[in-house]
């Protein structure tokens, strides 16, 4: 049986563990519910979240977590609400959050406010909770291991085992005779260190003269300076570190592909995944396309691009609209699927089609044998036009071997465009660095 010391102390890890073990937590009205009537599925009035893995433990829904949004920790209620709404569209998520906040402030509400996470924050949180990624740019790392190592090192220094200033035990000379000290208090006294100035910390009682080191360094610097020319003044050595520290490698961002939200588009959220991953075209309203991604507003696909990273597949994010984009997300967009309708670009960074496709790769997919719209042709070489065979209901997916050839052509254009923009093995585009 788990003791108090071994129970998880981090609500994010507890939620991730419960999702992985398929034992979802239960929202309750008390810290230790004793009856079934204390379970409360309404987050507006519930006060705690109870977990059963590895043992029964609870967290207050108002507990701040390690997930940081706008430099502020997000509470557990907002995290759990975002997980519950992971499959709904963005407008439905925002409307549900507003409704929940109204119930919070109403009679019988638990108080507080559910924080509405933006598009990329919610995507990053859900990916981490599902275990698809062990890293998150919005989640602070646990400091338990570092703190434990630091505490162990400090204890070793304080005890004299590994250097530092010698300790002053409470039983040393000068202590009151006959005084009985509690063992736990004695242990604290043993960890104390004597106060001192900078000279005593250097284990000496006399100031040390380092002027000879300064003279030696000056001689070395004079030898390393270039000889002054007769016409140019002697350059003054710039102040700065002698050794430049290597920059910490940044995490490669996930590239983004924008789809057309038009109902006439041959590729929608319901069939784009099977088309780009399996190389088979299925109409978006066909039953074979499936219903799992019909209502989804975010999709992920993986693709190995050898000229960028021959070892690790890149994970692409597919969305229909840039409503939740931050300004720097546009540097991660690698392709825009279009039907030739310019209203699609009204919410884009570049609203004029010629300017848009000078900065981003465009992809037009039409029926084989039909003419490419004149507007698409007028946008120039920045738009790749491809054609697929028309769907035959009686044949289904049989005989659609040409689809694979079309898909490989699209991926080839995407890879070439990403390579030209500086995408690499461990970094995103040059413009985003």
């Amino acid at each position: 049986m788990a003791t108090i010391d071994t129970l998880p102390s981090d609500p994010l890890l507890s939620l991730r563990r419960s999702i992985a073990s398929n034992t979802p937590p239960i929202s309750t009205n008390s810290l230790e519910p004793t009856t079934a009537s204390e379970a409360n599925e309404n987050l507006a009035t519930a006060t705690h979240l109870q977990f059963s893995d590895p043992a029964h433990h609870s967290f207050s829904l108002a507990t701040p977590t390690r997930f940081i949004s706008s430099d502020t920790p997000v509470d557990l209620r907002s995290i759990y609400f975002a997980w519950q709404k992971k499959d709904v569209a963005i407008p439905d998520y925002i409307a549900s959050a507003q409704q929940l906040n109204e119930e919070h402030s109403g009679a019988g509400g638990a108080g507080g406010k559910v924080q509405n996470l933006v598009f990329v924050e919610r995507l990053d949180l859900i990916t981490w909770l599902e275990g698809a990624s062990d890293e998150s740019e919005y989640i602070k790392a646990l400091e338990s291991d570092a703190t434990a190592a630091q505490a162990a090192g400090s204890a070793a220094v304080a005890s004299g085992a590994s250097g530092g200033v010698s300790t002053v035990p409470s039983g040393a000379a000068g202590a009151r005779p006959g005084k009985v000290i509690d063992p736990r208090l004695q242990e604290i006294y043993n960890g104390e260190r004597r106060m001192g100035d900078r000279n005593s910390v250097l284990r000496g009682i006399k100031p040390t003269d380092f002027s000879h080191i300064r003279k030696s360094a000056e001689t070395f610097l004079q030898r390393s300076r270039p000889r002054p020319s007769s016409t140019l003044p002697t350059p003054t050595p710039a102040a700065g570190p002698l050794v430049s520290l290597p920059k910490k490698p940044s995490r490669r961002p996930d590239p983004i592909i924008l789809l057309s939200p038009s109902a006439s588009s041959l590729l929608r959220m319901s069939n784009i995944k099977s088309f780009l991953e399996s190389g088979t075209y299925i109409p978006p309203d066909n039953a074979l396309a499936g219903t799992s991604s019909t209502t989804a507003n975010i999709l992920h696909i993986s693709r190995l691009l050898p000229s960028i990273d021959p070892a690790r597949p890149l994970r692409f994010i597919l969305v229909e609209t840039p409503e939740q984009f931050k300004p720097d997300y546009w540097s991660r967009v690698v392709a825009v699927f279009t039907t030739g309708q310019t209203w699609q670009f009204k919410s884009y960074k570049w609203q004029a089609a010629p300017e848009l496709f000078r900065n981003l790769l465009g992809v037009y997919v039409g029926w084989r044998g039909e003419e490419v719209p004149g507007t698409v042709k007028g946008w120039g070489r920045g738009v790749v036009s491809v054609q697929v065979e028309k769907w035959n209901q009686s044949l289904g997916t049989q005989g659609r071997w040409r689809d694979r050839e079309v898909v490989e052509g699209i991926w080839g254009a995407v890879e070439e465009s990403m390579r030209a923009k500086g995408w690499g093995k461990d970094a995103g585009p040059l413009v985003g660095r």
Side-chain angles (χ1 to χ4, degrees):
M1 180 176 177
T3 64
I4 295 178
D5 294 334
T6 60
L7 287 177
S9 60
D10 183 67
L12 278 181
L13 287 179
S14 295
L15 182 56
R16 189 184 190 191
R17 185 184 292 111
S18 67
I19 294 171
S21 60
N22 199 22
T23 55
I26 301 173
S27 53
T28 64
N29 292 333
S30 62
L31 178 63
E32 296 293 339
T34 57
T35 62
S37 61
E38 295 186 18
N40 186 359
E41 297 182 358
N42 187 1
L43 284 180
T45 57
T47 59
H48 291 77
L49 199 62
Q50 185 184 47
F51 299 88
S52 58
D53 185 18
H56 286 284
H57 59 286
S58 300
F59 293 100
S60 171
L61 286 170
T63 303
T65 67
R66 293 183 291 116
F67 193 92
I68 306 300
S69 175
S70 302
D71 298 329
T72 304
V74 181
D75 62 346
L76 181 58
R77 190 188 308 271
S78 301
I79 295 293
Y80 187 55
F81 176 75
W83 166 253
Q84 287 183 324
K85 302 298 181 181
K86 64 185 180 68
D87 294 324
V88 304
I90 293 177
D92 296 337
Y93 167 69
I94 296 175
S96 299
Q98 293 176 348
Q99 180 182 357
L100 187 59
N101 286 330
E102 292 176 359
E103 296 179 6
H104 264 301
S105 58
K113 181 180 180 181
V114 170
Q115 184 170 347
N116 183 12
L117 302 180
V118 298
F119 163 74
V120 174
E121 292 175 343
R122 188 160 67 110
L123 170 63
D124 195 86
L125 172 65
I126 293 172
T127 303
W128 186 86
L129 289 176
E130 289 178 340
S133 174
D134 292 332
E135 297 179 352
S136 172
E137 58 181 302
Y138 299 99
I139 298 179
K140 292 179 59 178
L142 281 172
E143 299 180 357
S144 56
D145 296 337
T147 303
Q150 183 179 4
S154 299
V157 171
S159 63
S162 61
V165 181
S166 58
T167 61
V168 182
S170 61
R176 294 182 180 180
K179 181 179 179 180
V180 179
I181 302 178
D182 185 271
R184 290 175 294 181
L185 186 59
Q186 179 68 47
E187 185 178 354
I188 296 175
Y189 285 160
N190 291 339
E192 293 182 347
R193 294 188 295 176
R194 184 187 299 116
M195 297 295 292
D197 56 14
R198 61 182 180 180
N199 293 323
S200 61
V201 170
L202 291 174
R203 299 172 183 266
I205 59 175
K206 296 181 179 180
T208 304
D209 184 11
F210 294 101
S211 60
H212 65 286
I213 298 178
R214 187 162 48 237
K215 294 179 181 179
S216 300
E218 182 65 23
T219 303
F220 173 78
L221 292 175
Q222 288 179 354
R223 292 177 180 177
S224 61
R225 292 170 184 167
R227 294 181 179 179
S229 61
S230 58
T231 58
L232 297 178
T234 304
T236 303
L242 297 178
V243 181
S244 60
L245 298 176
K247 293 183 178 180
K248 182 179 179 181
S250 58
R251 175 188 174 193
R252 181 180 66 193
D254 294 335
I256 301 173
I257 295 178
L258 279 170
L259 303 181
S260 172
S262 174
S264 61
S265 176
L266 300 187
L267 294 173
R268 301 295 303 276
M269 296 294 282
S270 59
N271 65 340
I272 186 65
K273 190 176 180 70
S274 62
F275 182 69
L276 292 181
E277 282 191 338
S278 306
T280 303
Y281 176 78
I282 302 173
D285 55 351
N286 193 282
L288 296 177
T291 58
S292 59
S293 58
T294 301
T295 59
N297 59 330
I298 304 171
L299 290 178
H300 300 94
I301 61 174
S302 298
R303 173 78 180 190
L304 184 67
L305 302 181
S307 64
I308 297 177
D309 191 342
R312 297 179 301 165
L314 282 83
R315 191 180 72 157
F316 291 80
I317 301 174
L318 281 70
V319 294
E320 282 187 341
T321 62
E323 293 178 354
Q324 301 294 328
F325 273 25
K326 292 183 179 179
D328 59 318
Y329 294 164
W330 282 104
S331 63
R332 296 164 52 184
V333 178
V334 296
V336 176
F337 281 78
T338 179
T339 59
Q341 298 167 301
T342 56
W343 59 262
Q344 175 186 347
F345 316 132
K346 287 185 177 181
S347 59
Y348 284 18
K349 178 181 179 180
W350 303 281
Q351 298 182 4
E355 183 183 5
L356 171 66
F357 295 118
R358 280 197 300 267
N359 292 276
L360 302 176
L361 172 68
V363 180
Y364 170 79
V365 180
W367 294 122
R368 189 179 300 275
E370 293 186 358
E371 187 72 16
V372 177
T375 54
V376 176
K377 291 182 179 179
W379 292 339
R381 299 171 57 185
V383 180
V384 177
S385 298
V386 296
Q387 294 178 323
V388 296
E389 298 286 347
K390 290 188 176 182
W391 177 258
N392 189 324
Q393 185 65 31
S394 60
L395 294 178
T397 57
Q398 296 180 0
R400 300 201 62 87
W401 52 271
R402 287 187 176 182
D403 294 345
R404 170 62 67 179
E405 180 181 354
V406 173
V407 171
E408 293 300 325
I410 294 175
W411 280 119
V414 171
E415 183 176 3
E416 181 180 355
S417 175
M418 292 177 65
R419 188 172 63 250
K421 291 184 177 181
W423 285 82
K425 183 178 180 180
D426 298 313
L430 293 175
V431 69
R433 297 182 195 176

